[in-house]
Amino acid sequence: MATTTPAGVRAHAKHGGGTSDGAAMSHRQIMEALSGLLLGMFAAILSSTIVSNALPEIIKDLGGGQSAYTWVVTAALLSMTASTPLWGKLADLVSKKALVQIALVIYILGSVVAGLAQNPGMLIGARVIQGLGAGGLTALAQIIMAAMISPRERGRYSGYLGATFAVATVGGPLVGGVITDTEWLGWRWCLYVGVPFALIALVVLQKTLHLPETRRKVKVDWAGAFFITAAVSLLLIWVTFADDKYAWLSWQTYAMVGGAVALALVFLLIETRAAEPIIPLHLFRNRTITLASIASLFVGIAMFAGTVFFSQYFQLARDKSPTMSGVMTIPMIAGLFVSSTVSGQIITRTGRWKAWLVSGGVLLTAGLGLLGTMRYDTDYWKIAAFMAVLGLGVGMMMQNLVLSTQNQVAPHELGAASSVVTFFRSLGGAVGVSALGSVMTTRITHYAQDSIGQLSPEQQAAAAEAAGSGQIPDMDLLPTPVRDWLESAYGHGIADVFLYVTPVALLAFLVTLFIREVPLRTSGALAQAAAESAPAPGRTS
């Protein structure tokens, strides 16, 4: 008789859990197995959030400009996006436990190199390595959870994942701000601080995570991995430099977009012939998976682009320290924490998930639209309320799009299907951050030029020097009238980013309306696989 959790997934008795008679895992045993995954996720998320409020200081110290600021974020998203399908496919072929430990080692190496960075280029390269590790951690956490826990019960545990995301996101900016503001530490320790958590996660995973190893002939689609990476990279390079190094409509645009499309077509051709494709194209015959992937693309654009510029808003438009910049984003993270945890618990009890997905789309759209109205002198309580609405929407959508997809696929394709949704979310985030970073620079320049006439000739000279250096300005060194002028331009320009991304969130909401709600399964993927391979009653194997 197959149980919800198959024998191979039970915690071993020698580690304090599990039974010899094949009883299903208890909540405690599941949490022990998940503890290492949650620690790994915490380290990966911490590495990005702890840097967010320190980035203005980091880029200024390393002598970079707005392009470098954007690329420090984009580089990690790029490598995370490009590697996610490969991690997902490997999870269907080889040991999931070994893969998540490899991802942790890659993350640790990237963190150490990033902390030693001497210029923006070195930091960006290290962020690529970090992104590779983080891509594995985020993809594999969802996959391993789905292997052990049924979709019906998974909402409860996805809530823990969401809570970990929220705590790391809250703690990251606060810890990063304190470290950056502490003279005897400095911003480099923001890049080192995730390493101890990753090392602890390695030890915990070795002790607590025990999954049955499926023995299959491994055929990794390296050609597919190469072409999808090349297509995504070329697309992101184009988006990053468009409207800065060249116009949106230029020969560079035609060449890069055409090249990206050609590489994508080659990738699709390879996938139709590969024995073990990175992204099995037949998955997209399933309406839910197709719509969830499209919605994830839009959510990624809205979520990443809508949040990555908060640190610049609070530090450059409101002249706050990195520490206070982190404190001021708490309402958004509180909203994410509450919605992901509560929705997960209720989904487990009721089995109903679509209403949460649709409601999240409404709140995400509303939060971004409201944030588009802010200025440098907007009352903080209003901004806090707007951020809370945004956080509620993200928390309801992010995990449930993955859940709806995992509920649709066979056990042997769980990794590939899960990584498809994560891939599109990361792709949307990378494209969104790159494109809107360029748009933000253009809008800030527009508002600065539009209002520079209010300054005296001497102040205009100081303003031109501050704005024309190509580097992020130090507001504390500027005369008060010039600082007020520049803060106003930053406040208005960053608000435009939220306003421009609002229609994208609306598209995500509209797509979720057409996702059909399917009852959640009551057995995990490995339990399903065990049931399929077990001999029929009355027969012997």
Side-chain angles (χ1 to χ4, degrees):
M1 176 180 176
T3 57
T4 298
T5 308
V9 192
R10 293 175 183 76
H12 290 191
K14 68 180 181 178
H15 296 305
T19 62
S20 58
D21 60 358
M25 291 174 71
S26 66
H27 169 68
R28 176 179 176 179
Q29 291 166 345
I30 292 174
M31 287 306 299
E32 287 176 351
L34 288 178
S35 58
L37 292 175
L38 296 177
L39 274 170
M41 281 285 291
F42 182 80
I45 297 164
L46 191 70
S47 69
S48 59
T49 60
I50 201 171
V51 171
S52 61
N53 281 329
L55 265 180
E57 189 75 21
I58 293 172
I59 298 302
K60 184 173 63 178
D61 191 37
L62 294 179
Q66 183 62 50
S67 178
Y69 184 104
T70 303
W71 260 105
V72 168
V73 178
T74 304
L77 285 174
L78 168 60
S79 56
M80 184 188 302
T81 301
S83 65
T84 294
L86 183 58
W87 287 112
K89 190 60 192 179
L90 287 173
D92 290 332
L93 301 175
V94 298
S95 169
K96 298 175 179 63
K97 179 177 178 177
L99 284 176
V100 76
Q101 290 176 315
I102 290 170
L104 281 166
V105 171
I106 293 173
Y107 165 80
I108 291 169
L109 291 174
S111 299
V112 172
V113 175
L116 297 172
Q118 300 299 309
N119 53 64
M122 184 176 176
L123 178 59
I124 290 167
R127 292 286 288 173
V128 170
I129 300 173
Q130 271 191 323
L132 288 173
L137 293 170
T138 52
L140 292 165
Q142 298 275 6
I143 292 166
I144 293 172
M145 182 183 294
M148 294 192 298
I149 307 165
S150 71
R152 180 63 183 268
E153 291 292 321
R154 203 174 303 144
R156 177 186 186 185
Y157 297 97
S158 293
Y160 295 126
L161 218 81
T164 301
F165 183 93
V167 170
T169 310
V170 169
L174 292 176
V175 174
V178 171
I179 291 175
T180 303
D181 289 338
T182 303
E183 290 185 8
W184 56 275
L185 288 174
W187 60 261
R188 294 184 186 276
W189 283 96
C190 293
L191 299 159
Y192 295 139
V193 76
V195 173
F197 292 102
L199 290 172
I200 295 171
L202 275 172
V203 175
V204 172
L205 283 168
Q206 184 62 33
K207 293 281 188 180
T208 63
L209 184 61
H210 300 280
L211 299 173
E213 294 188 16
T214 55
R215 297 188 178 278
R216 294 176 58 191
K217 186 177 180 181
V218 178
K219 293 182 180 179
V220 180
D221 180 18
W222 295 113
F226 170 78
F227 278 99
I228 194 172
T229 301
V232 171
S233 300
L234 187 56
L235 180 66
L236 290 179
I237 291 171
W238 163 64
V239 170
T240 301
F241 293 120
D243 202 33
D244 179 20
K245 306 296 184 182
Y246 44 80
W248 285 103
L249 296 179
S250 62
W251 71 264
Q252 291 94 334
T253 289
Y254 302 137
M256 289 186 175
V257 173
V261 171
L263 290 168
L265 290 175
V266 173
F267 166 74
L268 293 175
L269 179 63
I270 291 172
E271 297 305 275
T272 61
R273 300 180 179 183
E276 294 282 359
I278 290 288
I279 299 179
L281 299 182
H282 68 83
L283 291 176
F284 294 104
R285 297 172 190 163
N286 184 298
R287 173 180 167 183
T288 296
I289 295 176
T290 300
L291 292 176
S293 299
I294 295 171
S296 291
L297 178 72
F298 294 143
V299 168
I301 295 173
M303 181 178 70
F304 284 102
T307 57
V308 77
F309 300 112
F310 270 130
S311 59
Q312 282 189 302
Y313 172 76
F314 286 118
Q315 292 183 48
L316 298 176
R318 299 184 77 100
D319 196 28
K320 301 298 181 183
S321 68
T323 302
M324 281 307 299
S325 180
V327 170
M328 287 180 160
T329 59
I330 286 180
M332 180 185 68
I333 309 308
L336 192 155
F337 179 90
V338 169
S339 64
S340 62
T341 305
V342 172
S343 66
Q345 295 283 351
I346 295 177
I347 287 170
T348 294
R349 288 201 297 267
T350 65
R352 312 288 294 184
W353 50 267
K354 182 174 178 179
W356 293 99
L357 201 56
V358 173
S359 300
V362 173
L363 292 172
L364 181 64
T365 305
L368 288 167
L370 291 169
L371 286 166
T373 66
M374 68 183 183
R375 299 294 180 264
Y376 81 106
D377 55 354
T378 300
D379 292 335
Y380 174 70
W381 69 266
K382 293 181 181 179
I383 297 175
F386 301 162
M387 287 191 294
V389 173
L390 174 64
L392 287 170
V394 171
M396 291 180 190
M397 296 196 78
M398 190 169 60
Q399 300 294 342
N400 289 326
L401 285 169
V402 177
L403 177 64
S404 65
T405 298
Q406 291 174 338
N407 192 48
Q408 295 282 320
V409 297
H412 69 279
E413 291 185 327
L414 178 65
S418 301
S419 65
V420 163
V421 177
T422 307
F423 167 77
F424 279 102
R425 187 175 68 217
S426 298
L427 177 62
V431 171
V433 169
S434 298
L436 291 168
S438 176
V439 169
M440 185 189 75
T441 302
T442 301
R443 299 308 295 165
I444 291 171
T445 302
H446 166 75
Y447 290 123
Q449 292 175 346
D450 195 48
S451 59
I452 197 170
Q454 67 190 22
L455 302 176
S456 67
E458 294 80 8
Q459 293 166 351
Q460 288 185 26
E465 182 179 353
S469 65
Q471 300 183 3
I472 295 176
D474 188 340
M475 295 296 190
D476 294 332
L477 300 180
L478 300 176
T480 300
V482 176
R483 186 177 64 192
D484 292 343
W485 161 77
L486 199 54
E487 284 178 352
S488 177
Y490 266 97
H492 204 161
I494 294 172
D496 280 358
V497 170
F498 295 100
L499 194 61
Y500 291 169
V501 83
T502 300
V504 177
L506 179 61
L507 287 174
F509 160 70
L510 293 174
V511 170
T512 61
L513 293 176
F514 296 96
I515 296 178
R516 185 173 64 249
E517 185 164 28
V518 176
L520 296 177
R521 294 172 179 169
T522 56
S523 60
L526 294 177
Q528 296 168 41
E532 291 172 3
S533 61
R539 296 174 57 189
T540 58
S541 55

